Amino acid sequence: MKKILVLVLALAALLCIAAAASAVTIPENVKDLDIPEIPALPTMHCKNDGVTQTITFSESVDWMAVVFCDGHDWTWNDVTWASPEHTEATADMTAHKQSPGYGFWANSTYDDEGTCTWSGTGFYEMDYAYDVVLKDGTDVKYNQFGDLAELTLKNAGSEYFGNGPSIGTTILVKFEGNSVGRFVPYVDEIKEDYRNGSSIHARFAMNGMPTWVYQILPDGSRKTLYVREQPEEGNESNGEQGEEEPGRPSHQVAPWWVEWSTPDSEIEVPENGYIKYVQMTYVNHGEDVAVVTKAQFEAGVDGDGNSLPEYSWTWEESEEKVHLQKEVLDTPDGIPTSEYNPDDWPSWYGHYEVNHKEVWVYDD
């Protein structure tokens, strides 16, 4: 009798999970959701004299850290406040190998005793350089130039996915430069946490369309709920301005590159034309083209007196080993952003996204 009861309870639990999963709804566009308004955010000004980084805010903040990467890990470093109102701070750069906001690609090797050794392969531009908490507790991140990079909003009790009210909702807003150089926000990710220990995560493109939605179940396993299908050749159609028809000859015309944030209504499209939407991710890494001493690097010549070869970046291992590295594109044609999965690549590989629009017209 006890065994039967256990089976009944187990079946009921499975039915509950199935019902919960079936109740999940995927929003057609993040713009359809009731997202909290972005508050007024302080501006940041950065000044670097090579020794000290000086950061100035337009208004008081509560806390901040400078993000460096001297090895394979990002580190959050305290600042020295130069004003009691927390509007100006300084950070000592002499103890770091590079400026805030620049990362360090590295891979690891283990010896027979299990000791890990890290070796570098180059630099990359990190997502942000400064982590700031405002007076109201809002977390804002800025890049190395003081531009807005990320903003975290909270909205407990939301029901964005029709899965019941959340006990905690995190909304990650990112900022991208538009055609006039102004950084504009868009919702990059939403995460809802639920009382049973599960959560739903949704990623969105800059145009608001969902690209990937998955659920973390109470046992920690992950279940994919939605992956946006890429149209043929990775392009989307635009019914109002004409649609791309695979196999029909066409060619690109000016403007050659339109910022993603530019509304379609503001893009001039010739008759018989259409807008092509490009959202691609490029994966890259670095390979040595030369290894020289620090003195040779500063002199610009190698040990034989020859000029240094062209390189994309450098990595200083020691006084005797400065690695000159050339960028290698592992995906020279890019891959659709919705298909990029960092787990498919070594952790030290870099990647960057290309999001823009193009104007094309048919040849016939």
Side-chain angles (χ1 to χ4, degrees):
M1 182 66 182
K2 184 180 295 184
K3 187 177 296 185
I4 294 175
L5 178 60
V6 170
L7 289 174
V8 170
L9 292 175
L11 179 60
L14 288 173
L15 290 174
C16 287
I17 293 175
S22 65
V24 173
T25 57
I26 309 300
E28 292 186 4
N29 196 295
V30 75
K31 298 173 184 177
D32 299 329
L33 305 178
D34 185 17
I35 303 296
E37 291 188 7
I38 296 177
L41 302 172
T43 57
M44 173 190 285
H45 177 73
C46 303
K47 183 179 179 181
N48 181 352
D49 61 8
V51 177
T52 303
Q53 186 81 8
T54 302
I55 306 101
T56 305
F57 292 99
S58 61
E59 59 186 78
S60 298
V61 301
D62 186 58
W63 173 89
M64 77 167 296
V66 182
V67 184
F68 288 99
C69 182
D70 297 315
H72 58 280
D73 293 324
W74 295 18
T75 61
W76 271 244
N77 298 263
D78 292 332
V79 298
T80 300
W81 290 105
S83 67
E85 299 83 10
H86 284 196
T87 56
E88 183 175 336
T90 60
D92 182 12
M93 294 182 57
T94 58
H96 303 281
K97 295 181 180 178
Q98 50 196 331
S99 299
Y102 290 95
F104 179 83
W105 291 336
N107 52 13
S108 59
T109 57
Y110 292 85
D111 58 23
D112 295 337
E113 298 179 353
T115 301
C116 178
T117 301
W118 290 86
S119 59
T121 58
F123 300 114
Y124 67 95
E125 189 172 311
M126 295 158 61
D127 295 337
Y128 48 84
Y130 305 96
D131 190 356
V132 180
V133 176
L134 306 183
K135 291 292 186 179
D136 63 359
T138 302
D139 187 7
V140 188
K141 296 180 175 65
Y142 297 79
N143 68 13
Q144 56 268 53
F145 306 109
D147 299 313
L148 290 164
E150 294 183 5
L151 168 67
T152 302
L153 301 173
K154 301 291 185 179
N155 191 26
S158 66
E159 296 186 52
Y160 293 138
F161 309 108
N163 196 44
S166 73
I167 60 171
T169 301
T170 303
I171 303 167
L172 177 62
V173 176
K174 289 191 175 183
F175 294 80
E176 292 287 342
N178 61 11
S179 57
V180 295
R182 181 171 173 267
F183 280 73
V184 295
Y186 72 97
V187 174
D188 178 76
E189 183 175 6
I190 294 177
K191 175 191 175 187
E192 279 192 345
D193 295 309
Y194 307 103
R195 195 168 301 280
N196 66 350
S198 67
S199 59
I200 292 180
H201 306 242
R203 298 295 302 273
F204 297 89
M206 289 187 67
N207 63 358
M209 295 178 63
T211 59
W212 183 31
V213 183
Y214 63 93
Q215 185 174 29
I216 301 296
L217 299 174
D219 63 1
S221 61
R222 184 168 70 183
K223 177 181 180 180
T224 297
L225 303 177
Y226 171 82
V227 176
R228 187 179 68 183
E229 294 184 4
Q230 286 293 121
E232 190 168 335
E233 298 183 1
N235 302 310
E236 296 178 2
S237 63
N238 178 5
E240 294 182 0
Q241 306 240 31
E243 296 183 2
E244 181 180 8
E245 299 178 17
R248 185 179 177 186
S250 61
H251 65 279
Q252 187 182 4
V253 298
W256 309 104
W257 181 293
V258 182
E259 292 291 342
W260 185 265
S261 57
T262 304
D264 290 357
S265 59
E266 296 181 8
I267 302 174
E268 185 176 350
V269 181
E271 186 178 356
N272 204 32
Y274 62 92
I275 297 175
K276 178 180 286 189
Y277 301 84
V278 180
Q279 285 186 287
M280 306 296 286
T281 295
Y282 291 81
V283 183
N284 61 357
H285 73 279
E287 291 182 355
D288 283 347
V289 292
V291 180
V292 298
T293 66
K294 187 174 182 180
Q296 292 168 348
F297 174 67
E298 292 175 349
V301 295
D302 61 19
D304 297 327
N306 300 315
S307 299
L308 301 180
E310 292 186 2
Y311 58 90
S312 303
W313 54 71
T314 65
W315 167 60
E316 183 180 329
E317 182 179 356
S318 66
E319 289 286 337
E320 300 301 317
K321 285 188 177 182
V322 177
H323 297 255
L324 279 60
Q325 297 207 317
K326 193 79 171 180
E327 179 186 33
V328 177
L329 271 177
D330 301 277
T331 55
D333 297 324
I335 55 177
T337 297
S338 61
E339 295 180 9
Y340 171 70
N341 183 356
D343 295 336
D344 295 337
W345 304 89
S347 60
W348 51 272
Y349 272 42
H351 76 279
Y352 57 89
E353 294 184 9
V354 173
N355 301 304
H356 69 279
K357 301 176 182 179
E358 299 171 353
V359 179
W360 288 65
V361 295
Y362 293 108
D363 297 333
D364 48 22

